[in-house]
Amino acid sequence: MAPDFQRARRPEQVEARRAAILGAARELLSERPVSRISLRELSDRVGLAKSNVLRYFDSREAVFLEVLDSAWVAWLDELEGELSVPDDAKPAYERVAAVIATSISRQRLLCELISTMAAVLERNISVETARAFKTRAADRTERLACLVRAHAPLDAEAAGYFAKAVFILVAGLWPYANPGEAVATVLAERGMPAGHTMFVDGLTEGLANQLVGLLVRAGQSPEW
């Protein structure tokens, strides 16, 4: 049963309402893509009128940007440990690319939201929400760049470029790796790899190429 909320007045009540809305958003995202979730469905799931949801977030898109940010942080926490596991069986640039690609492929929610971020989620938000999200996004990107620099001889600028490329590649590859039923049927008929394999292989190759290019431009050997 949806909670029976009264209007929040104290800061802790506001945070409780926001947490409930975000929890409902995550539940809905486990059932269907963000493009098929309306503000009405979200408000019904949390037990609030649409106008009341908009007291805590300025739009539907702002809610999902908040979910994206929390998923982003959770992924970086996991990635830090995964990158620290040694593997001498392949060149380091291949290892870093493969670890990042495999790690983020397990974060379906994050990949789904990244793939809709620029085209959908950043379109119907206030300047204040945009400023807050972009500030946090810059922090997350910087953290990823720092993680990569711990395992690759890149300067701060090159690592920052690579960190941004991770999300651009994810945004482009994810929809292709998760097509509709008709396209999936045709791809199977043509012997194309399954979605997960397509995504991981394509992302690994793209990230490895990015790293090699950045290393060569910096005068470093890719075989570090």
Side-chain angles (χ1 to χ4, degrees):
M1 180 182 295
D4 182 18
F5 285 137
Q6 296 180 0
R7 182 172 180 178
R9 299 183 184 279
R10 298 192 300 273
E12 61 270 23
Q13 292 176 321
V14 171
E15 286 307 309
R17 302 301 186 275
R18 286 175 57 87
I21 293 167
L22 293 172
R26 291 187 185 93
E27 286 181 3
L28 287 166
L29 284 166
S30 70
E31 300 168 6
R32 51 190 176 276
V34 65
S35 60
R36 293 170 52 196
I37 301 172
S38 68
L39 179 60
R40 179 175 296 281
E41 288 176 301
L42 178 59
S43 61
D44 287 346
R45 179 65 61 97
V46 78
L48 291 170
K50 288 195 297 183
S51 59
N52 285 336
V53 171
L54 296 177
R55 291 180 185 274
Y56 306 106
F57 296 92
D58 60 41
S59 66
R60 177 193 78 109
E61 290 76 10
V63 175
F64 293 114
L65 284 177
E66 193 80 17
V67 175
L68 188 162
D69 183 65
S70 63
W72 197 341
V73 172
W75 173 61
L76 291 172
D77 289 343
E78 291 189 10
L79 180 64
E80 185 169 4
E82 292 168 345
L83 281 173
S84 66
V85 177
D87 180 3
D88 298 328
K90 60 182 67 173
Y93 72 89
E94 289 186 8
R95 183 185 73 83
V96 171
V99 168
I100 292 174
T102 302
S103 177
I104 203 168
S105 74
R106 294 192 292 264
Q107 307 294 327
R108 293 190 60 86
L109 174 59
L110 177 59
C111 292
E112 165 74 16
L113 293 175
I114 288 173
S115 72
T116 62
M117 185 176 77
V120 177
L121 299 184
E122 293 183 336
R123 298 293 176 174
N124 182 36
I125 55 176
S126 67
V127 172
E128 291 76 13
T129 293
R131 184 178 294 116
F133 176 72
K134 285 302 188 182
T135 297
R136 288 181 293 176
D139 291 342
R140 313 312 178 217
T141 303
E142 174 64 20
R143 183 180 173 191
L144 177 56
C146 289
L147 291 177
V148 171
R149 287 189 73 193
H151 301 276
L154 297 174
D155 62 23
E157 182 178 4
Y161 181 91
F162 176 79
K164 293 173 184 176
V166 171
F167 293 95
I168 292 171
L169 288 170
V170 169
L173 285 169
W174 186 256
Y176 282 99
N178 294 274
E181 184 176 346
V183 173
T185 298
V186 172
L187 292 176
E189 291 171 352
R190 296 171 65 88
M192 300 294 287
H196 182 266
T197 301
M198 177 194 297
F199 179 76
V200 174
D201 289 353
L203 185 56
T204 299
E205 183 70 13
L207 294 180
N209 290 338
Q210 287 284 334
L211 281 172
V212 170
L214 290 167
L215 288 164
V216 170
R217 290 183 66 180
Q220 299 281 351
S221 169
E223 305 294 332
W224 82 88

